[in-house]
C-alpha cells in the first residue's frame, strides 16, 4: 500500500507539470528497451543519488575514525603586552646585571605539541564499527537499486499496456465507424431502424472516451518512467520492446526453482549487519571500563627577551585515563546495549522466517499470475473472435445492434482482464526477482 501511495503522489506531481514540459517536435527521441531503461536508471536516476552519497559518507567516516588514532599535531602561539609593570619589576635591574625591566612587558610564546593515542578500547571498537556501517550503507544502496529496477519494470510494462490499448481501440473504432457508415446508408434506404444507428453512435462515443483515457495514461506513464530514469520530463522517448517479446522471455520456472538463499538476500543481510552493529555498540559501551593511554611530545620556544622564561624546549610524556567509579552509570548503559543487541537478534530470527515465507508466497503468486494470464489471454482471443463474428452478422442483417453492443462490452471486459492479468504477472515476477537479488560486492 505504501508503494501505491507513493506512485499516486508521483502521478499527481507529474500531472501538475506545465504544458511547456511537453515533447518538443524538433527534439530527437531517445530509444530504450526495458533492459536499457534499467541500466540508464541505475546510472542517472536521482532516486539513487542520496543512497550513493551515504556510501561515500560511510567511506569518509572510516578514515575519520582511523585518523583519530593517528598522530595529531597542534601549533599554539600567544602574544601579550603590559604597558605597566607591577610590584618590584622596575627595581630588578638594580640587582640583576644586564636586565632590562621593559623586557617583562612583552610575552611572545610558541609551542608545538604532537599527541599519539597508544591504547583505547573505544577507538578499536569504533574503527571496526565504522567499517561495518560502511557495509550497511552499501547494502542500503543495493536495496535502492533493486527497488528502482522493480519500479522501472512495472512502469515500462504499464506504458506498453496503455499503448497496446490505444492500438486496439483505434482498430475497434475504425471497424465500428465503418459499420456505422454502412448502417446509416441502410437506414436511408429503410432497411434498418434509427435505433440501430443510435446504438452504433453510442459505441463509437464510448470507444473515443476510453481511448482518450488510455492516451492520457500513456503520457503519465512515460513521464513517470522518465522521472524514475533521471531523464528530463520534456525529453521524448521511444519504448522499443513490445509486450509479446517481453512476455515470451518471462518464463522463470527453471531459473527460480529452489533458488532462494536466505544468506544472500539483501534484507536479511541488512538485518545481519544491524545485529553486528548492536553487538559492537555493546562492546563500545563496555570499553568505557578500559584505560586510555596516549603519548605526547611538546616543543616550546620563547620569542622574546624575558629573563624568566626558562622552560625546557623539549618535553616528552605519557598520559593515562582510568575510569574508577560512576555510581553504576556505565553498568546501566551496558545493560541497555545488551538488551538492544538481544532485540536485534530476535528481529533477525523473525525476519529469516518472514523472508522464507514471503518467497514462498511470491513464488506461488507468480505461478498463479502466470496461469491467470494464460486463461485471460485465451478469453481475450475468444471474445475477439465472437466480437468480429457479431460485426459480420450485423452487417449481413442477421444480428442486432444490441447483440453487437453486448459482444463489444464482453470483448472490452476480456481485454481489460487480460491487461490486468499481464500487469499482475509482471508485478509478481518483479517482486520475485527482488527477493532473489543479491547485494553488490
Amino acid at each position: 500500500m505504501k508503494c501505491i501511495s507513493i506512485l499516486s503522489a508521483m502521478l499527481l506531481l507529474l500531472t501538475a507539470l506545465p504544458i511547456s514540459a511537453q515533447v518538443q517536435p524538433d527534439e530527437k527521441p531517445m530509444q530504450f528497451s526495458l533492459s536499457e531503461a534499467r541500466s540508464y536508471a541505475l546510472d542517472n536516476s536521482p532516486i539513487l543519488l542520496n543512497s550513493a552519497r551515504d556510501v561515500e559518507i560511510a567511506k569518509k567516516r572510516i578514515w575519520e575514525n582511523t585518523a583519530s588514532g593517528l598522530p595529531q599535531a597542534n601549533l599554539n602561539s600567544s602574544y601579550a603586552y603590559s604597558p605597566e609593570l607591577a610590584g618590584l619589576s622596575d627595581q630588578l635591574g638594580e640587582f640583576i646585571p644586564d636586565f632590562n625591566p621593559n623586557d617583562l612587558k612583552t610575552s611572545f610564546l610558541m609551542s608545538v605539541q604532537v599527541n599519539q593515542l597508544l591504547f583505547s578500547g573505544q577507538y578499536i571498537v569504533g574503527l571496526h564499527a565504522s567499517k561495518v556501517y560502511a557495509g550497511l550503507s552499501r547494502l542500503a544502496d543495493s536495496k535502492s537499486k533493486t527497488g528502482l529496477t522493480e519500479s522501472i519494470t512495472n512502469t515500462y510494462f504499464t506504458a506498453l499496456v496503455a499503448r497496446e490499448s490505444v492500438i486496439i481501440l483505434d482498430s475497434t473504432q475504425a471497424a465500428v465507424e465503418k459499420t456505422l457508415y454502412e448502417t446509416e446508408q441502410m437506414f436511408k434506404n429503410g432497411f434498418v431502424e434509427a435505433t440501430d444507428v443510435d446504438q452504433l453512435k453510442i459505441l463509437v462515443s464510448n470507444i473515443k472516451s476510453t481511448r482518450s483515457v488510455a492516451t492520457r495514461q500513456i503520457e503519465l506513464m512515460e513521464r513517470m518512467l522518465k522521472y524514475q530514469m533521471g531523464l528530463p520530463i520534456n525529453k521524448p522517448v521511444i519504448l522499443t520492446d513490445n509486450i509479446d517479446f517481453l512476455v515470451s522471455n518471462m518464463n522463470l520456472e527453471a531459473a527460480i526453482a529452489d533458488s532462494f538463499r536466505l544468506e544472500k538476500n539483501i534484507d536479511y543481510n541488512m538485518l545481519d549487519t544491524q545485529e553486528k552493529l548492536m553487538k559492537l555498540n555493546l562492546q563500545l559501551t563496555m570499553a568505557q571500563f578500559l584505560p586510555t593511554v596516549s603519548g605526547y611530545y611538546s616543543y616550546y620556544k620563547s620569542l622574546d627577551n624575558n629573563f624568566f622564561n626558562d622552560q625546557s624546549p623539549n618535553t616528552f610524556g605519557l598520559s593515562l585515563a582510568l575510569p574508577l567509579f560512576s555510581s553504576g552509570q556505565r553498568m546501566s548503559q551496558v545493560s541497555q546495549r545488551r538488551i538492544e543487541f538481544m532485540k536485534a537478534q530476535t528481529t533477525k530470527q523473525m525476519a529469516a522466517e518472514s523472508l522464507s515465507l514471503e518467497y514462498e508466497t511470491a513464488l506461488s503468486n507468480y505461478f498463479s499470475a502466470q496461469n491467470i494470464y494464460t486463461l485471460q489471454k485465451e478469453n481475450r482471443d475468444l471474445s475477439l473472435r465472437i466480437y468480429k463474428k457479431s460485426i459480420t452478422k450485423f452487417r449481413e442483417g442477421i444480428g442486432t445492434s444490441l447483440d453487437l453492443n453486448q459482444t463489444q462490452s464482453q470483448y472490452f471486459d476480456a481485454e481489460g482482464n487480460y491487461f490486468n492479468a499481464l500487469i499482475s504477472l509482471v508485478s509478481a515476477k518483479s517482486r520475485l526477482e527482488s527477493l532473489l537479488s543479491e547485494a553488490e560486492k
Side-chain angles (χ1 to χ4, degrees):
M1 294 299 294
K2 181 178 180 182
C3 292
I4 295 175
S5 301
I6 294 175
L7 187 64
S8 301
M10 291 171 63
L11 278 172
L12 291 174
L13 175 63
L14 293 171
T15 306
L17 290 175
I19 300 299
S20 59
Q22 299 297 321
V23 173
Q24 301 297 323
D26 296 334
E27 192 170 2
K28 185 178 181 180
M30 298 180 66
Q31 300 185 8
F32 293 98
S33 65
L34 177 57
S35 60
E36 290 171 343
R38 288 172 171 176
S39 299
Y40 187 92
L42 292 177
D43 293 333
N44 299 278
S45 176
I47 299 174
L48 299 179
L49 285 178
N50 283 342
S51 61
R53 288 165 180 162
D54 287 338
V55 174
E56 285 300 314
I57 290 174
K59 291 179 180 178
K60 301 299 182 183
R61 187 169 296 174
I62 292 177
W63 179 247
E64 175 189 351
N65 293 336
T66 302
S68 65
L70 299 178
Q72 310 289 317
N74 295 290
L75 171 66
N76 297 307
S77 179
S78 65
Y79 174 82
Y81 175 75
S82 302
E84 298 179 0
L85 297 177
L88 300 176
S89 300
D90 288 332
Q91 305 175 14
L92 289 177
E94 300 177 2
F95 305 97
I96 303 175
D98 300 328
F99 173 74
N100 184 3
N102 291 326
D103 291 341
L104 297 178
K105 294 181 179 181
T106 303
S107 175
F108 190 13
L109 308 175
M110 183 191 71
S111 66
V112 177
Q113 181 165 323
V114 180
N115 299 287
Q116 172 62 59
L117 183 66
L118 300 178
F119 175 80
S120 172
Q122 289 183 311
Y123 170 74
I124 296 172
V125 177
L127 187 61
H128 188 196
S130 64
K131 295 179 180 178
V132 175
Y133 177 78
L136 181 62
S137 299
R138 288 192 294 270
L139 286 170
D141 185 53
S142 296
K143 183 174 176 62
S144 298
K145 291 179 179 179
T146 300
L148 178 62
T149 300
E150 182 177 352
S151 298
I152 291 291
T153 301
N154 292 335
T155 306
Y156 193 100
F157 260 95
T158 305
L160 291 182
V161 166
R163 184 168 295 175
E164 185 71 17
S165 297
V166 170
I167 294 174
I168 292 173
L169 289 169
D170 286 342
S171 175
T172 304
Q173 180 179 337
V176 174
E177 286 179 343
K178 180 180 179 181
T179 304
L180 173 60
Y181 173 78
E182 294 174 352
T183 305
E184 287 175 338
Q185 300 304 315
M186 295 172 65
F187 171 70
K188 291 178 181 179
N189 295 323
F191 293 107
V192 296
E193 299 179 356
T195 305
D196 295 327
V197 176
D198 294 338
Q199 194 70 38
L200 289 173
K201 288 181 178 180
I202 293 175
L203 292 179
V204 172
S205 178
N206 290 338
I207 293 173
K208 290 180 178 180
S209 177
T210 304
R211 187 190 186 283
S212 175
V213 174
T215 302
R216 183 57 180 164
Q217 188 178 23
I218 292 176
E219 297 175 0
L220 288 175
M221 288 299 103
E222 288 186 351
R223 295 171 84 178
M224 177 178 290
L225 182 64
K226 287 183 282 188
Y227 168 77
Q228 293 172 336
M229 292 172 60
L231 280 170
I233 298 299
N234 61 340
K235 181 70 176 179
V237 296
I238 296 177
L239 309 184
T240 58
D241 279 337
N242 60 69
I243 293 177
D244 293 335
F245 171 76
L246 293 176
V247 171
S248 65
N249 290 278
M250 285 180 57
N251 187 4
L252 298 180
E253 295 184 24
I256 63 179
D258 194 28
S259 59
F260 181 67
R261 297 292 181 269
L262 182 64
E263 64 277 3
K264 294 184 178 181
N265 180 267
I266 295 179
D267 291 322
Y268 182 80
N269 274 270
M270 291 183 69
L271 290 173
D272 183 62
T273 305
Q274 287 281 10
E275 180 189 1
K276 292 177 181 177
L277 284 174
M278 291 298 101
K279 183 177 181 180
L280 288 169
N281 197 24
L282 170 62
Q283 294 174 351
L284 183 65
T285 307
M286 295 174 66
Q288 294 181 104
F289 292 93
L290 300 176
T292 300
V293 181
S294 60
Y296 67 90
Y297 163 75
S298 178
Y299 174 77
Y300 172 86
K301 176 69 174 177
S302 176
L303 301 177
D304 55 29
N305 296 321
N306 195 326
F307 178 80
F308 294 99
N309 288 336
D310 60 347
Q311 181 176 335
S312 173
N314 298 292
T315 304
F316 298 88
L318 292 173
S319 63
L320 170 67
L322 179 63
L324 295 178
F325 183 67
S326 65
S327 299
Q329 181 185 33
R330 284 188 288 269
M331 288 299 300
S332 176
Q333 292 173 345
V334 170
S335 298
Q336 293 177 57
R337 302 296 92 78
R338 182 174 286 111
I339 294 173
E340 290 173 354
F341 173 55
M342 293 170 62
K343 287 175 60 179
Q345 288 180 312
T346 303
T347 302
K348 176 184 170 182
Q349 293 171 359
M350 293 173 60
E353 298 178 359
S354 176
L355 287 169
S356 298
L357 180 60
E358 186 176 356
Y359 167 73
E360 294 175 1
T361 302
L363 186 61
S364 176
N365 289 341
Y366 171 73
F367 287 136
S368 297
Q370 204 173 41
N371 293 333
I372 293 174
Y373 168 77
T374 302
L375 292 174
Q376 293 298 341
K377 188 174 185 298
E378 293 175 355
N379 290 340
R380 190 274 304 265
D381 296 340
L382 179 60
S383 63
L384 177 60
R385 290 197 298 270
I386 294 174
Y387 176 56
K388 288 181 178 180
K389 195 170 185 178
S390 67
I391 293 177
T392 302
K393 287 183 177 181
F394 180 80
R395 289 175 177 173
E396 294 175 352
I398 302 175
T400 65
S401 59
L402 292 177
D403 294 333
L404 181 60
N405 186 19
Q406 182 179 358
T407 55
Q408 186 188 67
S409 298
Q410 180 180 338
Y411 169 59
F412 282 167
D413 288 341
E415 195 72 50
N417 292 335
Y418 164 74
F419 285 133
N420 288 334
L422 174 61
I423 295 298
S424 297
L425 176 62
V426 173
S427 178
K429 173 180 175 288
S430 298
R431 181 55 192 153
L432 195 56
E433 288 179 337
S434 296
L435 288 171
L436 294 173
S437 62
E438 299 179 7
E440 296 180 356
K441 301 299 183 180

